[in-house]
Amino acid sequence: MRCAPRRTGLLLAALAAGAATRAAAQVTREVGQAQRDAAAAEQACLRGSPDFLLAQRELAMAERTVNGQRLASAEQRLRMAVSRCEAEARIGADGAPVDGHPLERRAACVARQPGYLTLQRMLEEARGAGDERRHGALREQLDAIAARCDGGAAAPAAPAEPPLVEMTTGWTLSVRDGERWTLFWRADAAPARYTAADAALTRRLAWREVGDGIAWAELALSGRGEAVRTRLVVVRLDPARVRFGLDFRPGDLTGTWTLDAMPADAALALNAGQFTADVPWGWLVLDGRERKVPGSGPLAGAFVVGTDGRAEVLGPAAVKARRKRGGVALAFQSYPMLLTGDGEVPPALFTGRGGLRLEHRDARLAVGETHDGQLLIAMTRFDGLGGALDRLPLGLTVTELSAVMGALGCRTALGLDGGISAQLALREGTDVRQWPGTRAVPLGLVVRAGGAGEADGRAGGRGE
């Protein structure tokens, strides 16, 4: 009889656990249904939106006629239509309806203001060209437009370098697992360093081998705002079993490269680095010859392949030393660094310093080096309407992209040009899977299976 109280306690605990399990299962069913209902509501909204349908037609026409101004206008109209429909069916990462953080609502208000997105693109061009005077003038115009969402010109201005806790409160990322969504990252509990891959993400990767040392997988992610439906494509490379090359049109390093130029023997091709005025930005080494000197910046990193075949993703501090040491077969520079050292998140991704716009969402592309020496290429695409709108430049923030690369197991990671420049092609047997961009770029990175970690320096002799 002395054991009776203990048996009673155990019985009550078992009953409580059973009730909790049943409650959790019910919540999971409700979350899944909320996600499906919200997705259906947004798709119905888009199908019935005259603005959206008209903008779709304009986008197709702009792509056929290569009309950049018309393309930008159509993209802006599509973005606004998607934002309106997403707002009507807004859901959180847990599947529950949410109103959004006040700063998120303000950002949505600002994005709807006439002329804001056009000025924003002009601001990015001025920043890339180093035109400080034009950049300052455009910044003033954007601030004046944003003031309309603060209640007028008399409203207090937002701080120039707001900390992450103010900018990203409420941001989350979840991964789909069947009918469930599993949370794997929260901005208010984001790690400052990633020491290993996150099983919540990696165990859902179903790798498909497509060549010696090359495999790929994809996942469905869900975040806030425009990232509510995001497709993540991940390519895993064994650098000891593949060859790297940089591809461009012979004698031409201007913005003329697209996936159509992918060599017939390449297994993978993607746009490389960043560019300004249609030429590659920063350090560029082809065939072991330095074509451009390194650019400078606190978040400027580089992808480097040595003459010994070793591939590395280097942070700003390591680029200078690697250049001095020599033995570089190919290299290109890009920004921003997403992870540095041994998995550390750069402080600027928490503070917004260095010109980073932490709130900006876009299609993303990155390359990373894992803790076990593999290389990962990660691309995100908007997954609305079953992928029919995947060319829209909507998706993650740079902080969220850093979180994804860290969760995938990267110790260093570097952002490549995203948005309408982001493009990737993968050869799978006789088929070529393409995730195209809508803008030509100066330079492509190509990967060939086999070759025991060699570097071509150029692609199929196209570099001269």
Side-chain angles (χ1 to χ4, degrees):
M1 295 301 294
R2 292 178 182 176
C3 295
R6 183 179 179 186
R7 286 199 300 272
T8 302
L10 291 173
L11 178 60
L12 290 174
L15 290 172
T21 300
R22 289 191 295 274
Q26 178 63 26
V27 168
T28 298
R29 287 193 293 271
E30 291 175 357
V31 166
Q33 187 60 49
Q35 293 276 4
R36 290 190 293 273
D37 290 347
E42 182 177 343
Q43 291 180 22
C45 172
L46 289 173
R47 285 193 295 268
S49 168
D51 288 342
F52 176 77
L53 298 176
L54 178 60
Q56 263 192 323
R57 289 194 291 270
E58 288 185 357
L59 183 66
M61 180 64 71
E63 290 178 348
R64 286 196 297 270
T65 59
V66 197
N67 187 323
Q69 184 175 357
R70 190 173 184 181
L71 182 66
S73 175
E75 286 174 351
Q76 179 178 345
R77 294 185 64 176
L78 279 169
R79 183 189 291 269
M80 293 176 67
V82 170
S83 295
R84 283 194 295 268
C85 288
E86 191 276 331
E88 292 179 12
R90 183 178 292 276
I91 55 174
D94 60 354
V98 297
D99 295 327
H101 186 269
L103 284 174
E104 185 182 41
R105 292 197 297 271
R106 178 185 181 276
C109 169
V110 169
R112 289 194 294 269
Q113 299 302 311
Y116 182 82
L117 296 178
T118 299
L119 286 171
Q120 201 173 54
R121 280 191 290 272
M122 293 169 64
L123 183 77
E124 292 174 355
E125 292 172 0
R127 180 188 293 126
D131 190 338
E132 295 183 3
R133 180 177 296 181
R134 184 165 179 252
H135 182 275
L138 290 168
R139 182 74 267 171
E140 290 180 2
Q141 294 181 56
L142 285 167
D143 289 344
I145 291 176
R148 302 171 191 167
C149 295
D150 291 328
E161 296 180 343
L164 180 72
V165 68
E166 293 182 16
M167 290 295 295
T168 63
T169 298
W171 288 4
T172 60
L173 288 174
S174 299
V175 59
R176 181 186 283 277
D177 184 11
E179 295 299 315
R180 300 178 55 190
W181 289 93
T182 299
L183 185 74
F184 69 90
W185 180 81
R186 297 181 60 93
D188 57 7
R193 181 185 177 203
Y194 291 87
T195 58
D198 187 341
L201 194 69
T202 56
R203 70 183 179 84
R204 293 172 174 83
L205 289 167
W207 293 107
R208 299 168 57 171
E209 300 286 340
V210 296
D212 187 18
I214 305 174
W216 79 286
E218 57 184 344
L219 294 172
L221 304 181
S222 181
R224 298 295 297 273
E226 299 168 0
V228 67
R229 271 180 301 287
T230 299
R231 177 67 50 180
L232 173 66
V233 178
V234 187
V235 182
R236 184 182 65 197
L237 303 172
D238 181 348
R241 296 160 61 196
V242 298
R243 291 175 292 139
F244 298 94
L246 289 176
D247 193 25
F248 56 96
R249 294 192 183 278
D252 186 3
L253 278 174
T254 60
T256 56
W257 188 89
T258 67
L259 294 180
D260 293 336
M262 178 181 180
D265 62 341
L268 174 70
L270 61 144
N271 58 292
Q274 301 277 359
F275 64 94
T276 58
D278 288 332
V279 296
W281 176 85
W283 194 26
L284 181 61
V285 178
L286 300 169
D287 301 324
R289 294 166 53 196
E290 186 175 270
R291 302 294 186 92
K292 296 191 68 180
V293 299
S296 61
L299 295 176
F303 177 80
V304 182
V305 180
T307 52
D308 59 357
R310 182 185 177 188
E312 302 173 276
V313 178
L314 301 178
V319 169
K320 184 177 180 179
R322 185 66 185 88
R323 182 191 185 213
K324 183 177 181 179
R325 192 167 79 243
V328 175
L330 68 84
F332 64 84
Q333 213 168 359
S334 190
Y335 56 85
M337 286 299 298
L338 304 170
L339 297 168
T340 61
D342 192 22
E344 288 87 12
V345 180
L349 271 63
F350 288 91
T351 64
R353 291 182 174 86
L356 283 180
R357 292 185 296 122
L358 298 185
E359 78 282 4
H360 178 63
R361 296 188 173 278
D362 215 334
R364 301 292 180 182
L365 184 64
V367 56
E369 185 178 354
T370 66
H371 292 277
D372 61 1
Q374 301 287 295
L375 290 178
L376 295 182
I377 308 292
M379 167 180 269
T380 67
R381 304 289 279 216
F382 182 61
D383 207 22
L385 286 180
L389 307 176
D390 70 345
R391 291 199 191 190
L392 284 180
L394 309 173
L396 305 184
T397 66
V398 289
T399 306
E400 290 169 341
L401 181 62
S402 171
V404 169
M405 299 304 284
L408 287 171
C410 290
R411 57 183 295 272
T412 59
L414 176 64
L416 306 180
D417 198 8
I420 61 176
S421 297
Q423 48 200 292
L424 184 149
L426 184 69
R427 196 178 304 279
E428 190 170 19
T430 58
D431 297 327
V432 177
R433 292 179 173 270
Q434 286 197 358
W435 293 268
T438 56
R439 176 165 61 191
V441 297
L443 202 62
L445 175 65
V446 297
V447 182
R448 294 173 173 84
E454 299 173 0
D456 289 339
R458 61 186 178 189
R462 296 167 51 85
E464 296 287 1

